[in-house]
Amino acid sequence: MDEKYANAREHFFAAIRTLAAPSDTIQTRLIDANVNILHVTIDEFDGDRELNFKFAKILDLLAVDQDDMETVALETAAC
């Protein structure tokens, strides 16, 4: 990824750092990581069909509805 994906990179790295931090419970870390990833929009990958497709698959796995990201993150992490 180059600079045009800086926002996505920032949120994915934040999610990874959150997962790696041992100070919180795994459920809390999963919720926080999920919220970070859901701050990335699929529009950020316009112009790169492969990344757009891969990110769409990630979103499908993380959440069905992104209208309430915090609730979605809690529900996803609770599974």
Side-chain angles (χ1 to χ4, degrees):
M1 288 196 274
D2 57 28
E3 287 305 311
K4 69 180 181 178
Y5 304 120
N7 182 59
R9 184 182 310 111
E10 176 185 333
H11 287 293
F12 275 103
F13 284 158
I16 292 166
R17 283 190 302 271
T18 298
L19 290 171
S23 60
D24 291 321
T25 65
I26 188 64
Q27 184 172 5
T28 299
R29 290 183 281 162
L30 286 170
I31 290 167
D32 293 344
N34 199 10
V35 169
N36 272 306
I37 292 171
L38 291 175
H39 278 95
V40 178
T41 65
I42 199 159
D43 297 337
E44 294 183 48
F45 301 107
D46 282 348
D48 188 324
R49 188 174 180 186
E50 183 178 352
L51 283 178
N52 194 300
F53 180 71
K54 287 180 179 182
F55 188 65
K57 288 174 94 174
I58 291 170
L59 289 179
D60 284 344
L61 293 171
L62 291 178
V64 174
D65 183 9
Q66 291 190 51
D67 289 339
D68 184 357
M69 288 189 284
E70 187 171 343
T71 300
V72 169
L74 287 168
E75 291 172 358
T76 303
C79 294

